[in-house]
Amino acid sequence: MDAVRVALLRDVLAGTEWLGATRRFAGALRGSVVSHGGGLLLVGTREYEPWHLAAHLVDEAAWSGTPELAPTLVRHDARPSDPAHLAVGLGRLEAARRGETLLVVAPGEPTAPLLERVSDARRAGATLLSLGPGAGELPALAHETLAVPEGAELDLDTVQHLVGAAAGENALPSPRGHRRFRDRMSRLADLLTAPPPARW
């Protein structure tokens, strides 16, 4: 979903709780990774890996000038022969520490083994965010939760698009100081002419 479609979706959702909820959750995500200097781990379930959210966050990180938003996608069936950005397995959760942020995206309650790893990462000091079930053990563990219950007006994929876009938009502007107008225009030209980031 591109920026134009996200804008149209927001127009349709104006006046609903979804816009405020996704922006608050995105702000918590951004605030956690930026304040700690990065270290965003993104994991789903064996049946539901959040590929699209990973790709959108990489794009938003580049477009917003907030590199901390670029996640490490943690996969259940990662193999060493996979490309580097797809070869990170669940063992990475065991290495999660204070200062890192773990975002779990799941359409339902994750399995006990994943919950155990997530719980261990939280105990080790990682900030835990949950996108998906509104009840159960995962949201109870999480520092911040955005519930997308089954049968809600929006599905989990659509909510991920809104969260990804809001995470980049909420980036704080760089301090302006006494930069000259020409310097600001030069920076804008650099941003507009930069090549697009590599797609997944």
Side-chain angles (χ1 to χ4, degrees), residues 161-174:
H161 285 294
L162 292 170
V163 168
E169 284 178 354
N170 289 332
L172 294 173
S174 45

PDB file of all heavy atoms in Angstrom, residues 161-174:
ATOM      1  N   HIS A 161      -0.199  -1.360   7.935  1.00  0.00           N
ATOM      2  CA  HIS A 161       0.096  -0.260   7.012  1.00  0.00           C
ATOM      3  C   HIS A 161      -0.038   1.079   7.723  1.00  0.00           C
ATOM      4  O   HIS A 161       0.804   1.966   7.568  1.00  0.00           O
ATOM      5  CB  HIS A 161      -0.847  -0.301   5.812  1.00  0.00           C
ATOM      6  CG  HIS A 161      -0.526  -1.372   4.826  1.00  0.00           C
ATOM      7  ND1 HIS A 161       0.623  -1.396   4.071  1.00  0.00           N
ATOM      8  CD2 HIS A 161      -1.225  -2.487   4.478  1.00  0.00           C
ATOM      9  CE1 HIS A 161       0.627  -2.465   3.292  1.00  0.00           C
ATOM     10  NE2 HIS A 161      -0.478  -3.144   3.526  1.00  0.00           N
ATOM     11  N   LEU A 162      -1.099   1.231   8.498  1.00  0.00           N
ATOM     12  CA  LEU A 162      -1.316   2.490   9.216  1.00  0.00           C
ATOM     13  C   LEU A 162      -0.225   2.733  10.258  1.00  0.00           C
ATOM     14  O   LEU A 162       0.263   3.850  10.410  1.00  0.00           O
ATOM     15  CB  LEU A 162      -2.696   2.477   9.877  1.00  0.00           C
ATOM     16  CG  LEU A 162      -3.893   2.518   8.927  1.00  0.00           C
ATOM     17  CD1 LEU A 162      -5.188   2.245   9.690  1.00  0.00           C
ATOM     18  CD2 LEU A 162      -3.968   3.848   8.200  1.00  0.00           C
ATOM     19  N   VAL A 163       0.157   1.689  10.984  1.00  0.00           N
ATOM     20  CA  VAL A 163       1.208   1.817  12.000  1.00  0.00           C
ATOM     21  C   VAL A 163       2.537   2.172  11.348  1.00  0.00           C
ATOM     22  O   VAL A 163       3.250   3.069  11.805  1.00  0.00           O
ATOM     23  CB  VAL A 163       1.329   0.525  12.840  1.00  0.00           C
ATOM     24  CG1 VAL A 163       2.602   0.536  13.680  1.00  0.00           C
ATOM     25  CG2 VAL A 163       0.108   0.349  13.729  1.00  0.00           C
ATOM     26  N   GLY A 164       2.875   1.467  10.265  1.00  0.00           N
ATOM     27  CA  GLY A 164       4.135   1.737   9.582  1.00  0.00           C
ATOM     28  C   GLY A 164       4.225   3.177   9.100  1.00  0.00           C
ATOM     29  O   GLY A 164       5.232   3.854   9.303  1.00  0.00           O
ATOM     30  N   ALA A 165       3.153   3.654   8.457  1.00  0.00           N
ATOM     31  CA  ALA A 165       3.151   5.030   7.953  1.00  0.00           C
ATOM     32  C   ALA A 165       3.239   6.031   9.095  1.00  0.00           C
ATOM     33  O   ALA A 165       3.981   7.016   9.019  1.00  0.00           O
ATOM     34  CB  ALA A 165       1.894   5.276   7.125  1.00  0.00           C
ATOM     35  N   ALA A 166       2.505   5.801  10.161  1.00  0.00           N
ATOM     36  CA  ALA A 166       2.515   6.732  11.296  1.00  0.00           C
ATOM     37  C   ALA A 166       3.861   6.740  12.011  1.00  0.00           C
ATOM     38  O   ALA A 166       4.294   7.770  12.515  1.00  0.00           O
ATOM     39  CB  ALA A 166       1.399   6.374  12.273  1.00  0.00           C
ATOM     40  N   ALA A 167       4.544   5.606  12.043  1.00  0.00           N
ATOM     41  CA  ALA A 167       5.850   5.559  12.713  1.00  0.00           C
ATOM     42  C   ALA A 167       6.844   6.495  12.040  1.00  0.00           C
ATOM     43  O   ALA A 167       7.611   7.189  12.703  1.00  0.00           O
ATOM     44  CB  ALA A 167       6.383   4.127  12.722  1.00  0.00           C
ATOM     45  N   GLY A 168       6.813   6.547  10.711  1.00  0.00           N
ATOM     46  CA  GLY A 168       7.711   7.446   9.994  1.00  0.00           C
ATOM     47  C   GLY A 168       7.288   8.893  10.088  1.00  0.00           C
ATOM     48  O   GLY A 168       8.115   9.785  10.231  1.00  0.00           O
ATOM     49  N   GLU A 169       5.986   9.147  10.049  1.00  0.00           N
ATOM     50  CA  GLU A 169       5.488  10.516  10.119  1.00  0.00           C
ATOM     51  C   GLU A 169       5.756  11.171  11.454  1.00  0.00           C
ATOM     52  O   GLU A 169       5.952  12.364  11.530  1.00  0.00           O
ATOM     53  CB  GLU A 169       3.966  10.536   9.920  1.00  0.00           C
ATOM     54  CG  GLU A 169       3.545  10.340   8.514  1.00  0.00           C
ATOM     55  CD  GLU A 169       2.040  10.310   8.405  1.00  0.00           C
ATOM     56  OE1 GLU A 169       1.356  10.337   9.439  1.00  0.00           O
ATOM     57  OE2 GLU A 169       1.555  10.269   7.270  1.00  0.00           O
ATOM     58  N   ASN A 170       5.746  10.375  12.505  1.00  0.00           N
ATOM     59  CA  ASN A 170       5.894  10.936  13.837  1.00  0.00           C
ATOM     60  C   ASN A 170       7.334  11.252  14.197  1.00  0.00           C
ATOM     61  O   ASN A 170       7.626  11.640  15.309  1.00  0.00           O
ATOM     62  CB  ASN A 170       5.322   9.974  14.885  1.00  0.00           C
ATOM     63  CG  ASN A 170       3.820   9.909  14.822  1.00  0.00           C
ATOM     64  OD1 ASN A 170       3.178  10.861  14.417  1.00  0.00           O
ATOM     65  ND2 ASN A 170       3.264   8.785  15.211  1.00  0.00           N
ATOM     66  N   ALA A 171       8.246  11.056  13.245  1.00  0.00           N
ATOM     67  CA  ALA A 171       9.644  11.348  13.533  1.00  0.00           C
ATOM     68  C   ALA A 171       9.792  12.827  13.863  1.00  0.00           C
ATOM     69  O   ALA A 171       9.202  13.690  13.226  1.00  0.00           O
ATOM     70  CB  ALA A 171      10.517  10.997  12.337  1.00  0.00           C
ATOM     71  N   LEU A 172      10.593  13.103  14.852  1.00  0.00           N
ATOM     72  CA  LEU A 172      10.811  14.489  15.242  1.00  0.00           C
ATOM     73  C   LEU A 172      11.653  15.183  14.187  1.00  0.00           C
ATOM     74  O   LEU A 172      12.616  14.609  13.682  1.00  0.00           O
ATOM     75  CB  LEU A 172      11.544  14.543  16.588  1.00  0.00           C
ATOM     76  CG  LEU A 172      10.759  14.008  17.773  1.00  0.00           C
ATOM     77  CD1 LEU A 172      11.648  13.965  19.003  1.00  0.00           C
ATOM     78  CD2 LEU A 172       9.535  14.849  18.032  1.00  0.00           C
ATOM     79  N   PRO A 173      11.327  16.412  13.842  1.00  0.00           N
ATOM     80  CA  PRO A 173      12.147  17.108  12.862  1.00  0.00           C
ATOM     81  C   PRO A 173      13.527  17.388  13.430  1.00  0.00           C
ATOM     82  O   PRO A 173      13.698  17.545  14.633  1.00  0.00           O
ATOM     83  CB  PRO A 173      11.381  18.424  12.625  1.00  0.00           C
ATOM     84  CG  PRO A 173      10.518  18.599  13.821  1.00  0.00           C
ATOM     85  CD  PRO A 173      10.228  17.222  14.355  1.00  0.00           C
ATOM     86  N   SER A 174      14.513  17.427  12.553  1.00  0.00           N
ATOM     87  CA  SER A 174      15.858  17.721  13.036  1.00  0.00           C
ATOM     88  C   SER A 174      15.924  19.169  13.483  1.00  0.00           C
ATOM     89  O   SER A 174      15.214  20.023  12.957  1.00  0.00           O
ATOM     90  CB  SER A 174      16.892  17.462  11.953  1.00  0.00           C
ATOM     91  OG  SER A 174      16.459  18.006  10.741  1.00  0.00           O
TER      92      SER A 174
END
